[in-house]
Amino acid sequence: MEPLVSVILTSYNHEQFIGQAIESVLVQTYTNFELFIVDDCSTDSSWEIIKAYTDPRIIAIRNERNIRIEGWGLIALRQAKGKYIAIHHSDDAWKPEKLEFQVEFLERNPEYGAAFTLVDIIDEEGNLILDDRNAYSEGIFRQKNRSRHEWLNQFFYEGNVLCHPSVMIRRQLYNELDLLEYGYAQIPDFMRWIKLCLCQEIWIIQKNLTKFRVLKNEMNASGNRPDVHVRSTIEMYRILSLYLKMNNSEDMLKAFPETEKFLIGTEMVTEYVFARLCMDHPSNVNKLFGLQLMFQLINDKDKSKKIKELYHYSHMHLIDDTAKYDIFNVCDGSYISNSLIRGRIYYHYGNGYEAKDYFQCEGHYQSGTFKYDVDIPLKVIKGGRLAGLRFDPLEGIPCRIKIVSFETNILATQLLPITLSSKKAGWDEFYNIDPIYEISGNIEEIKSFNIVLEIEGVHLKEAVQEQQANCWRLQKKNDEILQKSNEALGRLNESEIHRIEMIAQLNEKNIQLDDVSTQLNLKNALLRDITAQLDEQNVQLNDMQIRLEQSSCLLEEKEKDIVVLENVIEKAKTESELLRSHIEETYKSFSWRITKPLRFVKRLIHK
């Protein structure tokens, strides 16, 4: 029977976790799967641990050189036989029921292209992370289900909120939707989610069936490191072009209801609308993409004419727009002075922050500081019991912020940095382009607050270099620790490999014992059948014995009767002989008496 699920487990230098990752697949309650383990030329003992497993469902593949994230795709998918592809990583783990729930859902719902699960965040020791030590534990993967258009809106405004090792996708979609592209290293999964949602519904099974491990020192592939931020920015710029496949007003309106103002009668230039969405987006990446797209549209004769006709937008407006955004930080943040900054206040009522749930606030420049006076709108207060308030002071440039004051209408509240890169001398430094603060305390009682900030731009290059230096220092320290522990780890790994080999041998022995036990059970069953047949035959023999004894008694009686009969016959014979003799004598006597008169008669007649 062909496997219904092909599990693809990617491995690279996770010797301390790869065994757990493999075991979490082998103990699945759903068993009709094949497991591809693709090791990307690990330099630790990962490959030796992988080879120690002898389960026939495992297909182990080792790359001769490191080919990064997307390399596993073509290697494993060429050989995969399953109807569904489940992605797994060597530092994560699954709960036993994961595949069972996903297969059951996708088999019942053919209109869905992929099924995800909710996630437990764990540390390197496998313990649940329940506090807010990192971005993952803030609930980024705790998502409700949405339509595919709502997901496209979520991805555009909030980015990736789905967990890659939790997904199961229909295999045919990898080819139909071109879900594998070379060149991505940070967010290839995000690219896949957008391609899926452009034409397929997706579903999150509302059970924590995946264990996502957060490594120390931001060593996850998506960790908070300068190289990750820079690379993600480039990849995001390319991914935005996927939205241009929404080339009709119906899809655009479903994904972005706020674009209804661009529907003129029944006409809409969707490319222009998306360019406007990007230019209004707080991210500089989106702004740059929007401006680039607008350049293309303005230089297309037919589209430029239609845009001017519907929206009164011309090349002159584009020239004005290109001066609005310091996308490349040319002014190094100095333009912040003597200006007004527009920020956002996001809110939620217990289900997490949504891209649509916010209101704007303004920071007015006064004597070297920016002051935000914020009144919570009545519609927000009446909307429900507030469970969260988030303050996004500005977007678009790396900066450092010092909180001069923070006051609310109640006591015991704090303003806590969430996307902080580092903290120095009272300054919160943000190397990304999205500084975020969380307002903590008795949120539901807050009606208003004011914040005074000092804001300075920073050189992104210097910030990245400093962050890289910090990473290198941490890496050097880690290398020293690793060097000291390598021998111990080596011995432990040898012991682990030996233990795994012993377990494999024991499993083989157990299988053999199970076979012998099965054969013995069959033979015992056969013996029981034979015994039952013999018992039945013994009963029949006893019945025959009784009948024989009865027949023997009857025979003896018959023999006695025969003897009596023989005696009677002998007596009858004797009497018969006597009678015959008497008859003969009588006959002779009678014959004489008859013969004499006859002679006399004959003589008389003759005369």
Side-chain angles (χ1 to χ4, degrees):
M1 181 173 62
E2 293 288 342
L4 190 65
V5 178
S6 296
V7 178
I8 300 178
L9 195 166
T10 60
S11 166
Y12 182 68
N13 284 357
H14 287 144
E15 59 186 2
Q16 65 270 47
F17 308 125
I18 181 65
Q20 298 174 37
I22 295 172
E23 294 289 345
S24 74
V25 179
L26 298 181
V27 299
Q28 290 291 303
T29 56
Y30 183 83
T31 58
N32 185 21
F33 63 81
E34 58 183 354
L35 171 57
F36 288 90
I37 307 176
V38 185
D39 183 74
D40 199 16
C41 198
S42 292
T43 56
D44 61 7
S45 63
S46 294
W47 182 241
E48 286 69 26
I49 295 172
I50 293 168
K51 289 193 298 181
Y53 285 88
T54 59
D55 191 295
R57 294 171 295 182
I58 293 177
I59 302 98
I61 303 170
R62 178 171 170 81
N63 297 333
E64 294 181 358
R65 57 185 177 83
N66 184 267
I67 58 177
R68 298 300 292 264
I69 293 174
E70 290 295 82
W72 57 262
L74 292 176
I75 293 172
L77 282 173
R78 285 194 191 105
Q79 303 180 43
K81 301 175 183 176
K83 180 179 179 181
Y84 305 112
I85 302 294
I87 303 301
H88 196 10
H89 298 327
S90 54
D91 55 343
D92 300 318
W94 290 346
K95 293 186 179 179
E97 304 85 4
K98 176 183 181 290
L99 293 183
E100 182 178 356
F101 275 101
Q102 290 180 303
V103 169
E104 192 271 339
F105 175 82
L106 290 173
E107 286 287 276
R108 284 192 299 105
N109 299 278
E111 70 275 17
Y112 284 82
F116 298 77
T117 78
L118 296 182
V119 175
D120 281 340
I121 308 298
I122 61 174
D123 60 21
E124 291 190 355
E125 287 71 41
N127 303 312
L128 276 175
I129 299 177
L130 300 175
D131 57 18
D132 293 337
R133 280 180 281 166
N134 55 72
Y136 302 112
S137 58
E138 292 169 4
I140 187 172
F141 295 140
R142 288 196 298 270
Q143 298 293 325
K144 65 181 183 180
N145 279 298
R146 301 173 170 87
S147 70
R148 67 181 185 89
H149 293 96
E150 290 171 330
W151 277 118
L152 289 170
N153 183 288
Q154 173 80 14
F155 296 150
F156 182 76
Y157 286 112
E158 297 295 325
N160 190 8
V161 292
L162 298 176
C163 183
H164 197 193
S166 81
V167 73
M168 179 182 286
I169 304 178
R170 297 183 188 276
R171 179 164 65 97
Q172 68 188 61
L173 296 179
Y174 275 91
N175 291 326
E176 292 178 3
L177 304 181
D178 191 23
L179 296 184
L180 288 175
E181 288 189 27
Y182 284 112
Y184 288 98
Q186 297 306 143
I187 49 176
D189 51 337
F190 187 42
M191 172 267 294
R192 279 190 275 278
W193 311 157
I194 294 175
K195 284 188 175 183
L196 277 169
C197 289
L198 284 168
C199 59
Q200 295 279 319
E201 298 290 345
I202 63 175
W203 186 258
I204 300 176
I205 295 171
Q206 297 295 303
K207 292 180 180 292
N208 292 44
L209 300 175
T210 303
K211 296 181 180 181
F212 181 86
R213 194 184 308 273
V214 176
L215 305 180
K216 296 176 182 177
N217 300 323
E218 300 292 345
M219 293 311 295
N220 287 75
S222 55
N224 185 21
R225 304 189 308 275
D227 61 313
V228 172
H229 292 305
V230 173
R231 192 181 294 118
S232 296
T233 300
I234 300 300
E235 293 179 9
M236 187 65 199
Y237 183 84
R238 175 173 171 79
I239 285 174
L240 284 170
S241 64
L242 297 175
Y243 278 90
L244 298 179
K245 294 182 180 180
M246 288 195 303
N247 55 8
N248 62 80
S249 59
E250 182 180 358
D251 280 338
M252 183 63 71
L253 289 170
K254 286 181 178 179
F256 303 100
E258 64 271 27
T259 62
E260 186 177 6
K261 62 185 178 183
F262 294 105
L263 183 64
I264 310 301
T266 59
E267 293 185 289
M268 174 186 284
V269 182
T270 55
E271 290 173 294
Y272 170 82
V273 172
F274 187 66
R276 297 300 311 179
L277 287 174
C278 289
M279 291 162 63
D280 291 339
H281 195 281
S283 168
N284 277 352
V285 178
N286 294 59
K287 287 182 172 67
L288 178 61
F289 183 87
L291 290 171
Q292 175 65 24
L293 179 57
M294 199 65 82
F295 267 105
Q296 296 175 10
L297 295 173
I298 290 299
N299 285 280
D300 184 299
K301 182 179 179 181
D302 295 332
K303 292 178 181 178
S304 177
K305 182 180 179 181
K306 177 60 69 174
I307 290 170
K308 188 172 184 179
E309 174 188 336
L310 294 178
Y311 308 117
H312 310 293
Y313 188 93
S314 68
H315 70 282
M316 294 301 295
H317 296 92
L318 176 58
I319 291 172
D320 291 339
D321 285 337
T322 56
K324 286 183 180 179
Y325 316 109
D326 186 17
I327 292 173
F328 299 105
N329 200 24
V330 175
C331 299
D332 192 28
S334 58
Y335 70 97
I336 291 176
S337 300
N338 302 315
S339 65
L340 176 145
I341 296 178
R342 287 186 174 86
R344 292 182 178 185
I345 305 295
Y346 287 87
Y347 59 90
H348 71 84
Y349 302 108
N351 296 322
Y353 294 107
E354 299 280 350
K356 60 182 176 49
D357 295 331
Y358 73 92
F359 58 91
Q360 287 190 337
C361 60
E362 295 181 347
H364 295 271
Y365 184 75
Q366 297 177 359
S367 303
T369 63
F370 289 87
K371 184 177 182 181
Y372 297 79
D373 291 312
V374 179
D375 292 318
I376 308 295
L378 191 60
K379 69 172 185 176
V380 175
I381 296 174
K382 289 186 175 181
R385 184 176 179 181
L386 280 174
L389 283 173
R390 196 183 89 188
F391 174 47
D392 294 17
L394 77 164
E395 301 276 358
I397 62 167
C399 65
R400 41 189 226 144
I401 298 174
K402 179 184 286 186
I403 301 173
V404 178
S405 66
F406 171 60
E407 298 176 352
T408 70
N409 62 299
I410 62 172
L411 299 176
T413 55
Q414 288 183 290
L415 195 61
L416 303 175
I418 301 302
T419 55
L420 186 68
S421 298
S422 66
K423 194 174 185 71
K424 291 182 179 179
W427 289 88
D428 298 328
E429 297 190 342
F430 300 91
Y431 296 156
N432 54 45
I433 56 175
D434 190 17
I436 295 174
Y437 287 87
E438 183 88 20
I439 301 174
S440 67
N442 195 7
I443 302 298
E444 62 270 18
E445 298 297 328
I446 296 179
K447 300 294 187 296
S448 63
F449 57 88
N450 63 73
I451 305 171
V452 178
L453 306 177
E454 289 184 33
I455 302 176
E456 292 183 359
V458 298
H459 288 286
L460 180 60
K461 182 177 179 181
E462 293 175 359
V464 169
Q465 288 175 345
E466 182 175 354
Q467 187 75 347
Q468 285 176 335
N470 289 334
C471 287
W472 289 332
R473 284 193 291 271
L474 285 172
Q475 186 62 46
K476 185 176 180 180
K477 186 175 180 180
N478 286 338
D479 289 342
E480 292 174 356
I481 295 171
L482 286 172
Q483 186 175 0
K484 293 177 182 178
S485 61
N486 271 340
E487 293 182 2
L489 284 174
R491 289 193 294 271
L492 286 173
N493 288 331
E494 290 176 2
S495 299
E496 178 68 13
I497 292 170
H498 180 67
R499 184 184 70 83
I500 293 170
E501 290 175 348
M502 290 296 293
I503 290 173
Q505 292 174 4
L506 286 173
N507 288 336
E508 290 178 2
K509 294 294 183 183
N510 286 333
I511 292 171
Q512 293 173 0
L513 286 173
D514 288 341
D515 292 341
V516 171
S517 177
T518 301
Q519 293 175 3
L520 286 174
N521 289 335
L522 291 172
K523 289 181 180 179
N524 286 334
L526 182 61
L527 285 173
R528 285 194 295 270
D529 292 341
I530 293 172
T531 301
Q533 293 174 6
L534 288 174
D535 290 341
E536 185 178 350
Q537 290 178 0
N538 285 334
V539 172
Q540 294 175 357
L541 287 172
N542 289 334
D543 291 341
M544 291 177 66
Q545 184 68 29
I546 293 170
R547 288 197 295 271
L548 282 173
E549 289 176 356
Q550 292 173 347
S551 298
S552 179
C553 293
L554 290 172
L555 184 60
E556 289 177 358
E557 292 177 1
K558 294 296 182 182
E559 286 177 348
K560 290 178 182 179
D561 291 341
I562 290 170
V563 171
V564 173
L565 184 59
E566 286 178 346
N567 291 335
V568 171
I569 291 172
E570 286 296 326
K571 185 177 179 181
K573 284 183 179 179
T574 303
E575 291 177 352
S576 177
E577 287 297 326
L578 291 174
L579 180 60
R580 187 176 67 182
S581 297
H582 178 71
I583 290 172
E584 286 177 353
E585 289 177 1
T586 301
Y587 175 76
K588 287 179 181 180
S589 174
F590 179 76
S591 175
W592 172 251
R593 290 175 183 176
I594 294 299
T595 304
K596 190 174 180 181
L598 286 173
R599 286 177 184 167
F600 177 74
V601 173
K602 284 180 179 181
R603 282 195 302 269
L604 284 176
I605 295 171
H606 184 68
K607 289 179 178 183

